[in-house]
Amino acid sequence: MTRALLVSLLVACNPADSGPSGDTTGDTGDTGDLGDPEVFPGLSAPVDIHIDSRGVPHIYGETDTDVFFAAGYQVAVDRLFQMDLMRRRAYGRGAEVLGEGKVDEDRISRLFDFPRWGKLDAERLLAESPEDYRLFVAWIAGVNRRIEEVNSGAAPLPYGFGKAELNYAPEPWEPVDALVIGKMISFGNSNVLEYEFLATVVSRFLPAVLEIVQLPRPGWEAYTVPPEDRPSSGAAPAAGGPGPKKSSGQVAKNRSQEPALTLPADAPRHLRRLHQALSGFRVVGSNNWSVDGRFTANGRPMIANDPHQPLQSPSVVYAVHVNSADAGGKFDVAGFGFAGLPGVQLGHNRKVQWAATTGFADCMDLYEVLLAPDETTIDIGGKKAPVVWRDEVIKVAGMGDRSFRVGDVEGYGVLTGDALPLDQALVVASNRRLLINWTGFRGTNEAQAFLGMGKAQSIDEWEKAVDLIEVGTFNWMAADADGITYHLNTNVPDRGAPGGRKMPVTVVSGDDPDFVWTGAFLPADKLPRSRAPQTGFIVTANNDPWGFTGDGDLSNDPWYYGAYYDPGYRAGRVEQRLQELTQAGKVTIADMQAIQSDTHSLVADKMLPVLAEVYAKVATDDTLLAYRGRKDLEVLNELLTKTWNRRMDRQESGALAFHAFAHFLVKRIFEDDLALVFPSIMDASPVYALKFAALAATGMYPNANELMQQGRDILVMEALVDAADWLTAEFGAVSPHRYRWGDRHGTGFRNAYGGELDGGWHPTDGGEDTVNVSGSSFFDENLDVQPQFESNDGAVFRVVTSFAADGVPQAVVNFPPGNSADPASPHFADTRSDWIEDRYHHYPFRRHEVEAATAETVTLEP
């Protein structure tokens, strides 16, 4: 029996069964009286699923609900086990099947109560846009159709559920499940917990270090909003004008007069456990940029996007194309969606391509508050607020249940109780409790926004859809055949003018009313937006939008938006390349691809001139006598400062040598000052640590010498010695022919369960700071060098889009590892090599393109 016939028979037998919604009937049309939006009545007509040569389904149906049903069905065919694990993570039920290792992750989900807020999102979507809610219902009905096939034995049990694996059956889905997953994803996009906890630990136990390193200061001054649209105060002006705010070079202001507390010896263990618990909710980067038609080869805009997410196996995103527009519906949209959410979150329709990076707006604050002795109220901003405690119980496979308490404080956040895997004495006083507030603690409207983007027919309509977003700080960018736009909307608490006062980048006092949210959010004119009318291109790579952080001081800015931006190296490199290209001629698709693949290190551009300067002194400066006459240091210096092209490519020996030198320099500068928290900082963000070292070594911190008590030159040479000794121990000598970057650095495509889903380790290009990003940990928790430098985050897809003469987007893409989660499928890992080798292919969109690329067709019959 063919797959198409089997599916047709199953759907025909139970056309109205929609899983947990029960048997229902109703109008199937997408206009007029649509019936009850909470039920799916069945397909109105056959739906064809064309699966192309790379496993991407292109779905054609008569109505919007028909194609969403089929999309839900097909993603469940390809990704059901992954979807189940994602839903379990959102509900805090991962430990039920994966065991002890997921308990801390489940605690995070229970603490933030994604099911509660996802339910409110679903209720709001149903009330405000029943037409859109109906699409969720249809998609879930398609998922449940596949689950019914699996559980009835009509379809094979996907890998992961089997008796030889985790041995359990998939459960039916409900529409709210997708909204709960969406809330979890929005949380991950908003999450700055680890950064704020680490900054708090340093501020409490090592305050002088935090003052010196000027935490917000960028490593490279590149700002997203083009100069013509930046606010006048505190921003970097147009090229040719005076530069961005600079540090005065004077001693840091407001030096703490309080003696530092003693850091507990077990702090590293707690911080590492917190890091591991938050790894599933981590904020990661992305790149996107757009160029308007003035600078392109065909006179029409181009846009590029490569979102950075965990590079797991299977991918967190799923390639899909749904088309009801041919039959009069509202959707003809192709691209990528999160496996577990309906629709396309990043992609294009017939008129608009859109892209996103993480915006790093500060939408989450942490407070230390006083809890009443009877634990019924807290003191917050001079008032008392009631606490409603809830007991959470986590079931653990093969072990006993785990229980803990958290306290909801309506309007103010959640008391963490004993939910966080962190000794709270590290971040709050002994008589205080930790309270976390987040703008996502309410029903919000992201589902309607994402669907609206898919239906938009111009960038003006697309911006109106973005304006519906209330939680999740995405730097949205879009283009149509006529122009480009950068348009962000999210609820950022209006914390008032900084005016020299402290901003909430660490745990703050809940006693101070100034830190308590008023309910007001930053207005539109204080959110980053632009159409680059003068500059002609826009670049965002998680960097500071305006340049407020250019002097490392948040207290003198016109308003507070955020602090924990990317250091700016990726954005700076993209800007460099676009400036070169636009000055030399017209930008092509190949140029945009080359930028996405770029591995030039701007950290090397900062650090290696310092090495060259210091090494030049060795022959004459007797304070450096110990390094004179060492042939290995001479060879290594020659490689790094003269021979290496500063590209983090697999075949480059200089890339491996530089990686070692740079990280040993970080350790030499900061290990003694940061003591027990140094490994945790390296865990949380190696590129931040590299930024700190580069700014210290180049004298950009006013008081950098306080960090380098032995003297900068000595520390630089000691780091070179460390690198030479490590290379010799690993490869027998420092001679460049003995090693390459790819010998130690690569990407691991891992899976929470593992087994045959583990995609292995593969040598790859890129580094922490490169546009083709590929960050990894150099040190382990004991500060020994790792045996391999494994990247687990990066571009989950790369897309470059231009526009045909008729205005239809034309996209070229690559993505890893494959679109299927079935290890036996030909599409399990078939796109991985293209991604590793930077090979792009056209993403079929027009009907004739899809038909030409079709390798298999599945028909769902009503």
Side-chain angles (χ1 to χ4, degrees):
M1 182 180 292
T2 67
R3 182 179 172 199
L5 179 58
L6 174 63
V7 171
S8 299
L9 289 173
L10 285 165
V11 175
C13 288
N14 296 288
D17 184 1
S18 57
S21 298
D23 294 334
T24 57
T25 59
D27 189 355
T28 61
D30 281 339
T31 59
D33 181 9
L34 299 175
D36 187 344
E38 296 189 74
V39 298
F40 178 69
L43 291 175
S44 67
V47 180
D48 289 332
I49 304 174
H50 294 263
I51 300 172
D52 71 21
S53 58
R54 292 178 175 84
V56 178
H58 304 259
I59 300 169
Y60 294 86
E62 294 295 309
T63 68
D64 297 344
T65 51
D66 283 356
V67 296
F68 271 72
F69 173 91
Y73 175 87
Q74 188 60 39
V75 71
V77 169
D78 289 328
R79 302 286 190 90
L80 186 57
F81 180 59
Q82 177 192 15
M83 292 167 64
D84 185 84
L85 293 185
M86 180 177 286
R87 181 173 60 168
R88 287 179 177 277
R89 180 151 59 91
Y91 279 90
R93 295 181 56 203
E96 285 184 18
V97 296
L98 293 170
E100 176 75 12
K102 287 296 176 181
V103 168
D104 285 346
E105 185 176 87
D106 285 349
R107 285 172 174 265
I108 301 294
S109 295
R110 301 291 185 92
L111 171 64
F112 285 92
D113 205 357
F114 302 132
R116 175 188 177 186
W117 307 113
K119 182 180 180 181
L120 289 181
D121 288 0
E123 292 172 355
R124 182 172 175 185
L125 181 64
L126 176 60
E128 296 183 4
S129 183
E131 179 183 349
D132 287 336
Y133 187 85
R134 183 176 287 104
L135 300 178
F136 275 70
V137 171
W139 187 84
I140 293 296
V143 172
N144 285 333
R145 172 64 65 231
R146 183 58 177 181
I147 291 174
E148 177 188 292
E149 292 177 10
V150 168
N151 287 341
S152 70
L157 197 64
Y159 182 87
F161 292 110
K163 290 183 179 180
E165 296 107 40
L166 293 180
N167 191 26
Y168 70 99
E171 301 169 358
W173 282 50
E174 297 181 5
V176 69
D177 293 344
L179 279 300
V180 173
I181 290 171
K183 203 70 173 188
M184 176 185 69
I185 291 171
S186 293
F187 169 78
N189 182 256
S190 309
N191 175 24
V192 293
L193 287 176
E194 188 170 13
Y195 295 142
E196 294 200 0
F197 281 139
L198 283 170
T200 300
V201 171
V202 176
S203 70
R204 296 183 77 225
F205 297 95
L206 304 159
V209 175
L210 191 63
E211 291 161 353
I212 294 169
V213 298
Q214 297 179 331
L215 189 63
R217 189 175 189 134
W220 196 276
E221 291 175 351
Y223 309 119
T224 296
V225 175
E228 60 265 32
D229 287 329
R230 291 176 191 155
S232 58
S233 175
K245 299 185 300 177
K246 299 290 184 181
S247 173
S248 64
Q250 298 174 355
V251 174
K253 298 183 298 181
N254 303 320
R255 283 296 180 88
S256 173
Q257 302 303 309
E258 297 293 327
L261 302 173
T262 300
L263 190 67
D266 62 352
R269 177 174 59 84
H270 285 280
L271 292 170
R272 175 167 285 272
R273 185 178 168 193
L274 178 71
H275 172 75
Q276 292 170 343
L278 290 171
S279 63
F281 313 99
R282 188 168 56 241
V283 177
V284 291
S286 296
N287 303 317
N288 67 19
W289 62 90
S290 53
V291 182
D292 74 23
R294 285 173 285 173
F295 297 118
T296 67
N298 69 3
R300 293 180 288 275
M302 289 194 293
I303 184 169
N305 191 201
D306 53 291
H308 304 159
Q309 291 285 323
L311 286 169
Q312 61 189 43
S313 174
S315 174
V316 297
V317 296
Y318 178 71
V320 65
H321 173 200
V322 294
N323 182 328
S324 60
D326 283 358
K330 296 180 179 179
F331 290 93
D332 187 7
V333 57
F336 298 85
F338 285 96
L341 294 180
V344 171
Q345 281 77 59
L346 295 167
H348 70 83
N349 57 29
R350 294 179 178 181
K351 296 292 185 182
V352 182
Q353 166 81 46
W354 63 97
T357 67
T358 303
F360 284 88
D362 191 348
C363 300
M364 183 180 291
D365 282 353
L366 283 62
Y367 304 87
E368 57 174 11
V369 297
L370 188 65
L371 179 66
D374 63 2
E375 299 190 341
T376 60
T377 62
I378 60 166
D379 293 344
I380 180 75
K383 302 177 181 178
K384 291 192 179 294
V387 181
V388 177
W389 291 95
R390 53 185 160 93
D391 294 314
E392 296 286 350
V393 178
I394 296 173
K395 296 184 181 299
V396 185
M399 303 184 71
D401 295 349
R402 305 296 172 83
S403 60
F404 60 97
R405 297 179 76 206
V406 296
D408 294 312
V409 187
E410 201 70 29
Y412 295 99
V414 59
L415 279 174
T416 61
D418 54 353
L420 281 178
L422 178 74
D423 180 1
Q424 292 197 22
L426 292 173
V427 293
V428 299
S430 58
N431 64 334
R432 299 282 170 145
R433 298 295 183 92
L434 180 66
L435 176 77
I436 302 175
N437 206 359
W438 172 46
T439 55
F441 288 147
R442 55 194 292 268
T444 55
N445 211 16
E446 287 64 53
Q448 190 177 349
F450 284 117
L451 292 170
M453 283 187 264
K455 292 180 281 191
Q457 295 301 296
S458 68
I459 57 175
D460 292 329
E461 289 185 17
W462 177 86
E463 286 181 349
K464 291 178 182 178
V466 172
D467 286 339
L468 297 173
I469 292 177
E470 298 173 64
V471 64
T473 53
F474 295 96
N475 285 313
W476 290 106
M477 194 175 293
D480 61 18
D482 298 317
I484 62 175
T485 183
Y486 165 51
H487 195 85
L488 183 146
N489 200 76
T490 194
N491 288 342
V492 182
D494 188 343
R495 298 166 172 96
R501 66 186 179 89
K502 181 181 178 183
M503 290 293 101
V505 298
T506 60
V507 176
V508 296
S509 172
D511 296 340
D512 188 341
D514 283 343
F515 288 125
V516 178
W517 296 352
T518 64
F521 301 108
L522 291 181
D525 63 355
K526 291 184 178 179
L527 297 176
R529 299 174 175 184
S530 180
R531 291 197 177 185
Q534 298 173 27
T535 303
F537 61 79
I538 308 169
V539 178
T540 172
N542 320 111
N543 49 320
D544 180 346
W546 296 288
F548 290 171
T549 59
D551 62 351
D553 187 353
L554 300 173
S555 68
N556 59 0
D557 298 328
W559 63 86
Y560 174 67
Y561 179 78
Y564 296 104
Y565 305 113
D566 182 87
Y569 299 115
R570 287 180 287 113
R573 180 58 179 168
V574 176
E575 281 192 357
Q576 278 185 353
R577 294 293 297 123
L578 287 178
Q579 287 166 355
E580 294 166 359
L581 290 166
T582 55
Q583 291 169 10
K586 298 295 186 179
V587 182
T588 67
I589 289 289
D591 292 330
M592 299 281 271
Q593 293 173 358
I595 297 174
Q596 285 188 325
S597 303
D598 191 276
T599 58
H600 183 92
S601 171
L602 291 189
V603 171
D605 284 349
K606 289 285 189 181
M607 284 188 176
L608 292 183
V610 174
L611 174 60
E613 174 193 342
V614 172
Y615 195 83
K617 300 177 185 179
V618 170
T620 57
D621 187 341
D622 286 346
T623 64
L624 303 176
L625 181 63
Y627 313 105
R628 200 174 295 167
R630 283 193 56 168
K631 184 65 176 177
D632 58 343
L633 301 186
E634 179 184 342
V635 170
L636 197 51
N637 175 69
E638 179 79 13
L639 169 64
L640 291 175
T641 64
K642 298 178 182 178
T643 305
W644 179 44
N645 59 13
R646 300 186 184 177
R647 293 181 63 89
M648 302 297 291
D649 290 339
R650 279 165 285 167
Q651 72 274 15
E652 292 293 332
S653 54
L656 182 60
F658 175 71
H659 190 69
F661 165 74
H663 282 84
F664 282 124
L665 182 59
V666 172
K667 183 179 179 182
R668 286 284 177 179
I669 293 174
F670 288 104
E671 184 187 10
D672 56 342
D673 298 284
L674 293 173
L676 292 174
V677 299
F678 179 75
S680 301
I681 292 173
M682 296 300 291
D683 269 348
S685 183
V687 73
Y688 258 83
L690 290 171
K691 178 192 82 167
F692 297 153
L695 289 173
T698 55
M700 294 300 292
Y701 290 141
N703 304 285
N705 287 338
E706 295 183 33
L707 294 170
M708 301 184 288
Q709 296 92 340
Q710 292 176 271
R712 183 199 67 172
D713 293 358
I714 294 291
L715 293 175
V716 168
M717 290 307 301
E718 284 298 304
L720 191 67
V721 170
D722 293 337
D725 290 347
W726 177 75
L727 288 168
T728 300
E730 291 291 307
F731 302 101
V734 299
S735 303
H737 70 276
R738 290 178 175 265
Y739 50 86
R740 298 289 184 270
W741 180 224
D743 293 339
R744 288 291 186 272
H745 173 268
T747 297
F749 296 94
R750 306 305 183 186
N751 181 273
Y753 166 64
E756 293 180 31
L757 293 174
D758 189 288
W761 183 93
H762 306 268
T764 49
D765 297 334
E768 282 78 11
D769 64 316
T770 60
V771 178
N772 184 357
V773 71
S774 190
S776 57
S777 295
F778 183 76
F779 296 112
D780 65 16
E781 58 189 291
N782 299 314
L783 292 183
D784 295 324
V785 179
Q786 300 270 16
Q788 283 185 326
F789 312 134
E790 179 171 312
S791 175
N792 299 117
D793 300 309
V796 290
F797 66 82
R798 303 185 187 97
V799 60
V800 177
T801 304
S802 184
F803 295 84
D806 61 357
V808 175
Q810 298 175 306
V812 293
V813 300
N814 62 46
F815 59 92
N819 216 35
S820 172
D822 179 0
S825 167
H827 303 300
F828 177 68
D830 58 326
T831 63
R832 185 175 60 208
S833 62
D834 284 345
W835 180 85
I836 291 173
E837 302 301 335
D838 300 319
R839 293 189 294 259
Y840 290 72
H841 58 83
H842 177 63
Y843 196 131
F845 182 66
R846 299 179 194 257
R847 187 65 179 258
H848 71 273
E849 297 171 343
V850 171
E851 290 177 350
T854 296
E856 178 187 4
T857 300
V858 175
T859 298
L860 304 185
E861 297 284 353

